[in-house]
C-alpha cells in the first residue's frame, strides 16, 4: 500500500483490513460497478474486489453479472478488440509472435469448457489471528462456461524450447499509483498446467463477451487453480526457463507454509510454497441462510462442490454439528475442472434452531475440515465446511 500512496503507512498494523486510504478515496469519480448484479458484496472499490453471496451462486453455470471480481489495479478504459494484440515471447519461446484478436479467432480451433475459478483468499475472513487483505467470506468463486482457444495450441504455434518450465502473463490493467512502469500483477503456472487441454485464452463467458471487470476482451482461464493465475486483459505471455518471477509471484504472495505452523507463526519466505491446485470445497446455494420452515416440511438443500485439479467423489450434509452425516446425490462434472452439483432432502426431528453443514470429499480421499484449516500468514485456502442457519418453528 505504501508504494501506491508514495509513503510508508504509519501504524499500518492498526489499519483495518479492506479500508480505502483517504488519499485514494478523494476523487470526484463516482463509484460504478459496470454490468454486475446489485446483490453482490463490495469489499473494496479501488481496486474493485466484489464477492457473490452464496444464494446468488445457485445457477449451475455462473452468469457473468454474478461472477466475483478480484482486481489488483485499474481496469483498462474502453478496450478495443479491433486493435487488441497478444504477444508470446520469453527465453524459452522459439520466436516472438504477436497475434491480433481477429487472428487468434481465425487461426485456432475454438473450445468451450465450464471451469471453476476461485480466489486463493476466499474464506480469509475466518482466520484467527486475522490475515490482512480483502476479507472474503465464501463468494470469491464461480464456474461459468468459457470459450476461446487452447493456450497450448498458441504456445505450440510459437514454439516451445525444451528448457521451458513455466509461463507468465501480463495484462493491460494499470497500477493503482498510475505509474505506467509498474506492473499490477504478473503470475503464471508450470508449463505442464499451461499445456493442459482445458487451459484457455478466452474471449467469451456463457457465449457472450467477457464482462469488462472480468478481463474483457481477453483473459487466461486456468480451472482449478487460484484465480490469480487466470490473467485478465491479457496482452503478453512469456515462456520461461525458470519459475516465473513476476509481480505477486514471489515473496509471500499466493504462498502458504510448506509445513503446518501454529497460528500467528512468522514464516520465512524460503519456507513458503506456491499455491497450485485448490483444495476440495463446497457451498450451499439453496436455501439462503436464515430459512424458516414448518416442522412437517422436508427441506431441499442444494449447492456445488469442486476440488481443484481433481473430482469430487462424495458429498454429505449434517444438521447436528458434524456428529452424523447424510449422503447427498452428486452429479458428475460437465467436463474436467467444472464444479459439481449436489442436493439433499433433510427432515428435521423437532422444532428448534439448526445449522446445515456441507462437506465434500475429493477423488484423493481428502475431505473438507469442519473448522478453519491450517493457519497461514496471508489467509489462503480456507476450505472449512460451509454452514447455513435454519429454524424449524
Amino acid at each position: 500500500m505504501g508504494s501506491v500512496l508514495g509513503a510508508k503507512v504509519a501504524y499500518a498494523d492498526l489499519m483495518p483490513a479492506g479500508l480505502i486510504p483517504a488519499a485514494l478515496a478523494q476523487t470526484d469519480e463516482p463509484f460504478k460497478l459496470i454490468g454486475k448484479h446489485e446483490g453482490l458484496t463490495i469489499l473494496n472499490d479501488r481496486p474493485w474486489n466484489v464477492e457473490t453471496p452464496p444464494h446468488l451462486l445457485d445457477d449451475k453455470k455462473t452468469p457473468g453479472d454474478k461472477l466475483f471480481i478480484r482486481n489488483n489495479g485499474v481496469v483498462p478504459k474502453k478496450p478495443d478488440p479491433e486493435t487488441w494484440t497478444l504477444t508470446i515471447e520469453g527465453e524459452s519461446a522459439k520466436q516472438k509472435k504477436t497475434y491480433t484478436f481477429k487472428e487468434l479467432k481465425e487461426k485456432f480451433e475454438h473450445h468451450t469448457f465450464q471451469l471453476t475459478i476461485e480466489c486463493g483468499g476466499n474464506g480469509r475472513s475466518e482466520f484467527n489471528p486475522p490475515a490482512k487483505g480483502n476479507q472474503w467470506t465464501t463468494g470469491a468463486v464461480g464456474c461459468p462456461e468459457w470459450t476461446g482457444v487452447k493456450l497450448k495450441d498458441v504456445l505450440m504455434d510459437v514454439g516451445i524450447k525444451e528448457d521451458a518450465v513455466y509461463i507468465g502473463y501480463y495484462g493491460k490493467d494499470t497500477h493503482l499509483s498510475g505509474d505506467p512502469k509498474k506492473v499490477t500483477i504478473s503470475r503464471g503456472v508450470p508449463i505442464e498446467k499451461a499445456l493442459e487441454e482445458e487451459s484457455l485464452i478466452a474471449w467469451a463467458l456463457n457465449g457472450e463477451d467477457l464482462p469488462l471487470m472480468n478481463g474483457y476482451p481477453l483473459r487466461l482461464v486456468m480451472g482449478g487453480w487460484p484465480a490469480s493465475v487466470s490473467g485478465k486483459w491479457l496482452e503478453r505471455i512469456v515462456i520461461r526457463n525458470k519459475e516465473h518471477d513476476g509481480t505477486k509471484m514471489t515473496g509471500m504472495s499466493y504462498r502458504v507454509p510448506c509445513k503446518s505452523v501454529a497460528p500467528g507463526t512468522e514464516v520465512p519466505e524460503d519456507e513458503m510454497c506456491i499455491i497450485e491446485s485448490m483444495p476440495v470445497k463446497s457451498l450451499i446455494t439453496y436455501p439462503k441462510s436464515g430459512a424458516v420452515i414448518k416442522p412437517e416440511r422436508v427441506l431441499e438443500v442444494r449447492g456445488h462442490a469442486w476440488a481443484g485439479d481433481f473430482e469430487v467423489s462424495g458429498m454429505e450434509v449434517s444438521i447436528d454439528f458434524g456428529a452424523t452425516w447424510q449422503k447427498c446425490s452428486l452429479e458428475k462434472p460437465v467436463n474436467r475442472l467444472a464444479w459439481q452439483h449436489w442436493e439433499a432432502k433433510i427432515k428435521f426431528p423437532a422444532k428448534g434452531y439448526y445449522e446445515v453443514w456441507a462437506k465434500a470429499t475429493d477423488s484423493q480421499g481428502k475431505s473438507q475440515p469442519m473448522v478453519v484449516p491450517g493457519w497461514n500468514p496471508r489467509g489462503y485456502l480456507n476450505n472449512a465446511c460451509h454452514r447455513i442457519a435454519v429454524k424449524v418453528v
Side-chain angles (χ1 to χ4, degrees), residues 299-310:
L299 181 66
E300 294 184 1
V301 183
R302 63 174 179 262
H304 316 294
W306 57 97
D309 281 338
F310 305 107

Side-chain angles (χ1 to χ4, degrees), residues 51-303:
E51 71 170 307
T52 315
H55 67 281
L56 291 183
L57 286 170
D58 195 41
D59 302 88
K60 289 192 171 183
K61 233 185 273 182
T62 309
D65 69 335
K66 295 177 182 173
L67 182 61
F68 75 99
I69 303 168
R70 197 311 182 215
N71 290 344
N72 291 266
V74 179
V75 178
K77 289 185 178 177
K78 298 180 180 176
D80 182 4
E82 294 296 320
T83 57
W84 197 272
T85 60
L86 172 65
T87 297
I88 315 290
E89 57 185 341
E91 61 266 29
S92 290
K94 288 185 177 176
Q95 61 180 320
K96 176 180 178 180
K97 206 162 182 178
T98 297
Y99 303 91
T100 65
F101 189 81
K102 184 180 177 187
E103 284 172 339
L104 275 177
K105 281 189 164 183
E106 291 181 349
K107 185 177 177 68
F108 302 99
E109 185 178 352
H110 297 187
H111 297 272
T112 298
F113 296 109
Q114 198 178 337
L115 301 170
T116 307
I117 59 171
E118 180 183 13
C119 176
N122 196 24
R124 176 179 290 135
S125 63
E126 296 183 4
F127 278 101
N128 189 25
K132 292 181 180 177
N134 294 294
Q135 296 301 296
W136 302 102
T137 60
T138 57
V141 63
C143 189
E145 185 180 78
W146 308 90
T147 298
V149 296
K150 290 184 180 179
L151 173 59
K152 76 170 188 177
D153 289 348
V154 180
L155 296 181
M156 297 294 281
D157 187 64
V158 172
I160 307 169
K161 293 182 181 176
E162 289 186 356
D163 63 352
V165 295
Y166 237 87
I167 65 108
Y169 71 78
Y170 293 87
K172 273 194 173 177
D173 46 338
T174 52
H175 196 270
L176 290 177
S177 66
D179 185 344
K181 295 179 181 176
K182 289 186 175 179
V183 174
T184 302
I185 183 170
S186 174
R187 304 202 66 236
V189 297
I191 194 72
E192 293 81 9
K193 179 68 177 175
L195 297 179
E196 283 186 351
E197 294 294 314
E198 301 84 4
S199 296
L200 293 180
I201 298 172
W203 56 74
L205 184 152
N206 298 339
E208 299 181 349
D209 290 343
L210 296 173
L212 176 64
M213 289 286 180
N214 298 108
Y216 175 82
L218 210 59
R219 72 173 294 173
L220 285 172
V221 184
M222 302 285 184
W225 284 37
S228 55
V229 299
S230 294
K232 292 176 277 187
W233 312 288
L234 182 68
E235 68 165 352
R236 188 159 66 98
I237 293 172
V238 287
I239 307 174
R240 308 299 309 272
N241 62 5
K242 60 181 181 181
E243 187 177 283
H244 184 52
D245 52 1
T247 303
K248 295 187 183 293
M249 194 73 208
T250 59
M252 305 288 276
S253 295
Y254 298 99
R255 293 176 186 241
V256 293
C258 301
K259 298 178 181 177
S260 297
V261 298
T265 302
E266 290 188 15
V267 186
E269 287 186 10
D270 61 358
E271 295 180 15
M272 300 286 284
C273 290
I274 297 173
I275 300 170
E276 295 189 337
S277 177
M278 295 293 284
V280 62
K281 199 167 180 178
S282 62
L283 202 58
I284 302 168
T285 59
Y286 181 86
K288 183 179 179 180
S289 187
V292 179
I293 65 169
K294 299 290 184 185
E296 65 277 10
R297 183 182 163 191
V298 174
L299 181 66
E300 294 184 1
V301 183
R302 63 174 179 262

Side-chain angles (χ1 to χ4, degrees), residues 26-74:
Q26 289 169 355
T27 172
D28 294 329
E29 185 178 344
F31 293 168
K32 293 178 182 175
L33 191 54
I34 302 168
K36 288 293 180 179
H37 192 282
E38 61 182 15
L40 271 54
T41 304
I42 298 174
L43 302 181
N44 204 333
D45 65 348
R46 287 183 178 79
W48 284 107
N49 288 288
V50 180
E51 71 170 307
T52 315
H55 67 281
L56 291 183
L57 286 170
D58 195 41
D59 302 88
K60 289 192 171 183
K61 233 185 273 182
T62 309
D65 69 335
K66 295 177 182 173
L67 182 61
F68 75 99
I69 303 168
R70 197 311 182 215
N71 290 344
N72 291 266
V74 179

